Amino acid sequence: MTGPLLDIRDLRVRFPGRVRGRRTVVTAVDGVSLSVDEGETLGLVGESGSGKSTIGNAVLGLVRPTSGSVWFRGENISRLPPGRRRELGRVIQVVFQDPYSSLNPSRTIGQTLGEPLRHAHRLPRRVADARVRDMLRQVGLPADAVGRYPAEFSGGQRQRIAIARAFVLEPRLVVCDEPTSALDLSVQAQILNLLLDLQREHGMSYLFISHDIDVVRHMSHRIAVLLGGRLVEQGRAATVTRTPRHPYTRSLLGAVLPVVDPGDPTVANPETVRTTLPPPAPGTVADAAWGSG
Amino acid sequence: MTALEESAAGAARTARPGRAAHPHGAWRTALARPLGRVAVAYLALLVVCSALAPVLAPYRPTATDLDHILSLPSGAHPLGTDALGRDVLSRLLYGGRTSLVDAALAVGVGMAVALAAGLLAGYFGGWLDRGFTWLVDVMLAIPVIVTLLAVLAVIGNSMSAAMIALGVLVAPGIARVVRGATLAVRNELYISAARVSGLPHRHIVVRHVLPRVAGPVLVQASLLAGGALLMDAGLSYLGLGARPPAPTWGNMISEAAGVIDRQPWLLVPPGVVLGLAILAFGLLGDVLRDTSAERTTRRLAPARPVPVTGRKVVEPTTALLSARNVTISVPGPDAPVRVVEGLDLDIGPGECVGLVGETGCGKTITARSVLGLLPPGAAVTAGSIRFDGVDLATASRATLTGLRGTRIAMVFQDPGTSLDPVVTAGRHVAELVRRHHGGSRARVRARTMELLRSVGFPEPEQVAGRYPHQLSGGMAQRVAIAMALAGEPRLLIADEPTTALDVTVQAGILGLLRDLQRDNDMAILLISHDLRIIATMCDRAYVMYAGHVVESGDVAGMFRNPAHPYTDGLLRSAPRRATPGEHLTAIPGTVPPPGSWPVGCHFAARCLLATDECRAAPVPVARLRPPRRTRCLHFDELSGGRA
């Protein structure tokens, strides 16, 4: 097979909305074209309202594109009949941000992980159970987790469970929608390591969505920067983060507060630290949101 | 693998309130309550006795004994006899069969219709939902009793038909409850995840949505059962339904009413049995509702403040705020649980001090204790917190209220929820200006505009007229900061002030706080989980882990050369300086929850330097080159300890 695994062509998504009581149309994604190759991680970075999650949901079939198309392995998947769309669940999977609401609190971990295998893919119970146990081991959870409920697990462990649910079907593409934004720094590192390990082992592709450019840079081969539903820049991760071309990318990188790192001499002097913070001057993106308009 | 330790900690971790509910628990908890047990036992007794009527009943329900009419309870007739000498107990048992089956029919039909309609409308939405809402509105306007009488007249005297009709007529009200509950569940991420997995809608509705709406549905079913029983009795009383001599509870009451002047006792057995049955259904509904609410508001043992006796350490200090050996406890299931232990903290005038730590380390509750804003039941159980010479831990409520806002102010994480949605930004600020300074309307207004300008609104008049929903997150946080400044505080506590904001907006708010600190000579206690923010903003910082301050000192020195393995691990987990695609240096395991802290060092289980000595006894705080301190025995193995 040639060509990219996932190909998003001129995607537009509009929602009916309301601005001060008047009905309007909100354009969440405005003509975005992206592609993801086999085994590749594409990072989508942007702030709230940039449309990054909407793109993920369009790939997952959770929102319907207004125009444009999403191609997966050469097949247009943006307007599929429900039956064919369900079959895609085997190859396109998702890890959501909030590990608390992404697991059904009234179902055991075994039920949550096993049901796509048993009900969507009609595997016999024995095979499904073995797959579930193997997957739990891979994400570093004990086998007895099968019979327990989500409430018994911490945030980081729940995110491991959510990852296990996504990977148990052996997908080729996983949409990671802010997978570590709700987690503490030390747990984030564990989860990012797990995602890297799974990719190295199984070779699937990631569409990695985050507002944190540090995390995106760490995880991605290529990065696409979104602003107000439009793509402002995309390219190799190193290129985009080292030599950003668009001013918005530069402001995103600049807004990331300075590195604190053992042995990093740049933080030695608090004065040098402080000058790197962009002043709240009008005209920057930061202030567009609260300007006097 | 690291997660094995994580799971050990997770097993002990208490469930997040409100999220833990699973419906199997509802019945179990309901049965654990005496009232629920009594109600269920009585209803079970009724069902069993009615079902076994042919075995249990001493006579046939229609057998007459004309020698004993209208007799009081006796050996032969435990509950007496009626006007035709029929045994009341036997008639009650056989009558229960008809009445309970009728009620079950109404409940079955009602719940089936309501669940199907409510689930479909709530789950699929769109035109189905619009049609549903319209239909419910129409159905609710139909008078129930009149319709039932019409049904009985048209179909012929069939109580089953009437009960089916009753079920259909009450279904819309219940369906609305189901729809509401379904709408809430439909937006949960696990529903999206199930759809992405390719599960058919039927499966998602039955396995994921239905169990989540089961709680309110059970309550409704229980109340409907009581209502149906009453309706059945009422219709029988009117002579509809089963024809005499076949017994029902309703026609027994009707017959008893006819001879009330000769034998009033006859009313008692059917009246009491029916009344108690309806009461039991009502109570069961109550208990079920209470148990679902209770899972979020459990009764916990409160912590009580302990007056500090014994050695009174009053260090001569120039600090504005000085906390010494502070321990804070919160209510736990059995006994109060300590969430902060032996905390020392100082903030000098005009200084910006950071309090860093991950979720649940105790940083927010520490800040709240300074303001006397601890949650109900929580208390400072040891130590002292002195602010400008006043001990806050033992201060009167009036003293604390006087300090709050004027001398100490606070800014919270989520600006959206800290503003009243029906009050404009200007009035939010003006109210506090008036409270703290008073003065004429014009002076209050002038001061309000000045404050709004000082937090970065070049045209304050425009912002003052806006309501909170018309403000972006960054603007709302600026308004909240203006409110905090109204009392010209000497200490501002900022609890994760930028966590809910976009990074580019974040920079603006932090810049503002820094300017305000410098211009007004105001001290700031900045609480954050983000090391980058602390490094940018603060002169000194305290790192908290599981209720302890594990390390403190000047930010520059501490973050460059940490002297505690936790600080070191946190700094290394940040992805900024790691090689992209390579493993990050993660701290293995998870934070132990309050209540299961070890005796020794709280970090020992996750620490690579830990020895038996660390686990044996509490680790004292070691003083390094001032102002640095660390709660570690092996700090000399870290770069900060050698410096």
Side-chain angles (χ1 to χ4, degrees):
Chain A
M1 189 176 56
T2 55
L5 181 72
L6 178 76
D7 197 7
I8 299 172
R9 296 182 194 162
D10 198 28
L11 182 72
R12 272 191 180 75
V13 182
R14 295 203 176 98
F15 296 114
R18 244 168 223 278
V19 174
R20 291 190 193 148
R22 276 195 308 257
R23 284 183 188 203
T24 50
V25 172
V26 179
T27 305
V29 180
D30 196 3
V32 168
S33 297
L34 293 168
S35 69
V36 184
D37 284 331
E38 287 273 2
E40 185 190 42
T41 301
L42 174 69
L44 276 187
V45 67
E47 305 195 305
S48 50
S50 65
K52 55 192 193 303
S53 287
T54 308
I55 293 176
N57 286 340
V59 172
L60 293 165
L62 296 174
V63 298
R64 188 173 276 277
T66 310
S67 69
S69 53
V70 180
W71 297 72
F72 183 79
R73 285 177 166 167
E75 179 189 8
N76 185 347
I77 61 164
S78 47
R79 281 177 189 76
L80 284 180
R84 173 73 190 118
R85 179 75 239 182
R86 283 204 288 272
E87 285 170 30
L88 278 177
R90 189 194 273 272
V91 280
I92 305 181
Q93 269 299 325
V94 62
V95 178
F96 288 111
Q97 168 176 358
D98 183 357
Y100 291 94
S101 82
S102 71
L103 297 173
N104 188 338
S106 57
R107 302 191 47 79
T108 64
I109 306 311
Q111 287 172 331
T112 293
L113 263 59
E115 72 182 356
L117 294 171
R118 307 232 310 113
H119 297 279
H121 301 291
R122 307 266 164 222
L123 289 182
R125 174 183 287 275
R126 223 164 34 81
V127 180
D129 284 356
R131 275 270 272 292
V132 167
R133 276 167 209 281
D134 180 52
M135 199 61 234
L136 283 173
R137 190 187 48 74
Q138 285 192 47
V139 299
L141 286 171
D144 72 348
V146 167
R148 286 153 64 184
Y149 288 92
E152 298 171 51
F153 295 90
S154 68
Q157 290 172 315
R158 285 176 188 224
Q159 204 59 313
R160 286 177 195 272
I161 296 165
I163 289 172
R165 173 180 55 195
F167 284 76
V168 76
L169 293 167
E170 298 175 356
R172 298 317 301 158
L173 174 71
V174 179
V175 176
C176 302
D177 191 354
E178 304 261 14
T180 60
S181 302
L183 305 175
D184 279 319
L185 192 59
S186 66
V187 183
Q188 165 176 293
Q190 295 174 355
I191 296 296
L192 294 181
N193 286 346
L194 174 64
L195 287 171
L196 288 171
D197 286 344
L198 288 167
Q199 188 177 43
R200 212 161 287 159
E201 197 166 321
H202 301 283
M204 73 284 286
S205 310
Y206 289 149
L207 184 62
F208 196 95
I209 300 166
S210 178
H211 69 278
D212 187 332
I213 201 158
D214 279 354
V215 171
V216 168
R217 188 188 68 127
H218 188 76
M219 296 299 290
S220 312
H221 300 104
R222 286 187 303 118
I223 293 180
V225 183
L226 287 161
L227 171 64
R230 286 168 200 254
L231 206 58
V232 296
E233 180 162 3
Q234 76 169 308
R236 286 190 39 238
T239 318
V240 170
T241 51
R242 274 197 214 124
T243 52
R245 279 179 295 125
H246 195 278
Y248 178 68
T249 316
R250 276 198 288 275
S251 85
L252 265 187
L253 282 161
V256 173
L257 298 159
V259 194
V260 282
D261 189 81
D264 176 7
T266 57
V267 279
N269 181 353
E271 290 312 307
T272 59
V273 169
R274 295 185 168 194
T275 50
T276 52
L277 191 76
T284 65
V285 182
D287 291 73
W290 56 273
S292 51
Chain B
M1 177 88 201
T2 60
L4 289 176
E5 294 114 289
E6 201 178 320
S7 74
R13 179 178 285 254
T14 46
R16 247 166 77 144
R19 305 267 187 167
H22 46 89
H24 322 294
W27 280 110
R28 219 174 302 139
T29 344
L31 283 177
R33 307 228 325 200
L35 216 53
R37 248 195 322 250
V38 169
V40 170
Y42 178 71
L43 293 172
L45 183 77
L46 277 189
V47 171
V48 170
C49 290
S50 304
L52 297 180
V55 184
L56 294 178
Y59 305 90
R60 281 185 301 112
T62 50
T64 55
D65 177 0
L66 292 175
D67 294 338
H68 302 92
I69 57 166
L70 297 176
S71 70
L72 282 171
S74 63
H77 300 286
L79 291 178
T81 57
D82 68 3
L84 294 172
R86 296 174 298 197
D87 182 56
V88 171
L89 177 62
S90 305
R91 288 181 69 73
L92 210 51
L93 291 172
Y94 278 97
R97 304 182 108 187
T98 329
S99 298
L100 290 174
V101 166
D102 284 348
L105 192 62
V107 172
V109 171
M111 291 332 269
V113 174
L115 274 176
L119 283 172
L120 288 179
Y123 182 76
F124 289 105
W127 62 265
L128 203 64
D129 193 30
R130 283 193 293 277
F132 167 85
T133 316
W134 179 85
L135 195 66
V136 165
D137 288 344
V138 173
M139 296 276 284
L140 286 177
I142 298 175
V144 174
I145 297 217
V146 176
T147 317
L148 289 186
L149 292 175
V151 167
L152 284 168
V154 171
I155 302 203
N157 201 8
S158 157
M159 193 56 99
S160 303
M163 285 296 126
I164 292 172
L166 176 66
V168 173
L169 285 171
V170 296
I174 301 169
R176 261 209 317 211
V177 175
V178 176
R179 170 183 170 269
T182 308
L183 277 178
V185 175
R186 187 183 67 169
N187 294 328
E188 295 277 1
L189 284 175
Y190 56 78
I191 301 292
S192 297
R195 284 175 61 195
V196 169
S197 291
L199 293 171
H201 290 304
R202 178 172 32 86
H203 178 94
I204 297 176
V205 169
V206 173
R207 296 293 179 83
H208 287 274
V209 182
L210 191 57
R212 306 298 301 148
V213 304
V217 167
L218 285 176
V219 175
Q220 294 293 327
S222 178
L223 297 178
L224 173 58
L229 216 48
L230 194 63
M231 187 64 79
D232 178 68
L235 291 174
S236 308
Y237 182 86
L238 294 177
L240 302 161
R243 288 199 187 282
T248 69
W249 290 348
N251 67 24
M252 284 176 74
I253 294 174
S254 160
E255 286 161 12
V259 293
I260 194 165
D261 48 341
R262 290 156 63 200
Q263 184 48 283
W265 161 256
L266 261 189
L267 264 179
V268 175
V272 168
V273 167
L274 178 67
L276 285 180
I278 293 165
L279 190 65
F281 276 123
L283 283 176
L284 187 61
D286 267 5
V287 170
L288 285 172
R289 196 207 50 219
D290 286 356
T291 49
S292 54
E294 220 171 59
R295 270 169 282 162
T296 56
T297 54
R298 245 178 315 161
R299 199 176 280 275
L300 297 166
R304 298 196 189 289
V306 176
V308 184
T309 51
R311 86 194 166 99
K312 189 116 184 172
V313 194
V314 184
E315 291 181 10
T317 169
T318 55
L320 181 65
L321 181 83
S322 172
R324 283 289 168 274
N325 201 21
V326 169
T327 296
I328 303 173
S329 300
V330 299
D334 307 316
V337 174
R338 273 184 288 179
V339 289
V340 173
E341 271 182 8
L343 172 127
D344 288 355
L345 188 143
D346 288 288
I347 302 172
E351 195 184 19
C352 184
V353 173
L355 194 56
V356 207
E358 298 186 290
T359 312
C361 69
K363 55 191 193 301
T364 293
I365 204 156
T366 302
R368 286 181 161 259
S369 73
V370 171
L371 282 162
L373 288 178
L374 289 174
V380 174
T381 48
S384 69
I385 305 173
R386 301 184 72 80
F387 177 79
D388 231 6
V390 183
D391 189 346
L392 300 179
T394 54
S396 70
R397 187 169 293 203
T399 318
L400 277 175
T401 314
L403 282 175
R404 257 183 246 148
T406 55
R407 313 295 305 281
I408 313 176
M410 187 155 181
V411 177
F412 297 92
Q413 170 173 346
D414 190 351
T417 56
S418 59
L419 299 179
D420 184 339
V422 296
V423 174
T424 60
R427 273 185 49 209
H428 270 111
V429 181
E431 191 188 1
L432 292 171
V433 171
R434 196 162 30 240
R435 170 97 45 85
H436 297 312
H437 297 287
S440 70
R441 193 179 263 243
R443 272 180 56 195
V444 167
R445 184 174 166 79
R447 175 73 183 136
T448 301
M449 295 307 150
E450 191 186 319
L451 282 169
L452 285 174
R453 199 172 290 118
S454 74
V455 295
F457 294 117
E459 291 169 60
E461 291 81 5
Q462 287 203 354
V463 178
R466 293 203 195 170
Y467 287 92
H469 73 272
Q470 296 168 320
L471 303 172
S472 70
M475 290 168 82
Q477 195 59 293
R478 283 171 193 267
V479 171
I481 293 172
M483 289 165 65
L485 294 178
E488 288 157 23
R490 301 205 49 209
L491 172 64
L492 178 70
I493 299 176
D495 188 359
E496 304 267 11
T498 58
T499 304
L501 305 176
D502 278 331
V503 278
T504 49
V505 181
Q506 188 173 1
I509 297 288
L510 293 177
L512 169 68
L513 285 176
R514 204 180 56 206
D515 292 346
L516 292 171
Q517 178 213 353
R518 197 170 37 213
D519 299 346
N520 304 353
D521 195 31
M522 177 178 71
I524 295 182
L525 176 61
L526 181 65
I527 300 166
S528 182
H529 68 284
D530 193 331
L531 298 171
R532 299 176 290 196
I533 290 177
I534 298 292
T536 317
M537 294 286 295
C538 301
D539 312 305
R540 287 188 307 115
Y542 293 80
V543 181
M544 284 191 81
Y545 180 81
H548 276 157
V549 168
V550 291
E551 184 174 3
S552 59
D554 57 299
V555 167
M558 186 164 69
F559 285 178
R560 192 167 39 151
N561 297 313
H564 193 282
Y566 176 65
T567 319
D568 186 54
L570 266 190
L571 290 165
R572 287 178 195 280
S573 347
R576 189 77 197 263
R577 273 304 173 98
T579 315
E582 296 293 313
H583 261 203
L584 294 163
T585 320
I587 304 175
T590 48
V591 186
S596 57
W597 288 338
V599 186
C601 173
H602 290 181
F603 187 63
R606 306 173 70 187
C607 181
L608 298 175
L609 304 178
T611 56
D612 290 343
E613 203 187 345
C614 301
R615 298 183 194 97
V619 174
V621 175
R623 289 166 190 249
L624 312 175
R625 200 173 47 155
R628 299 195 54 187
R629 296 177 185 196
T630 175
R631 199 186 278 269
C632 180
L633 298 173
H634 304 290
F635 60 84
D636 53 347
E637 293 177 41
L638 292 157
S639 60
R642 290 190 297 268

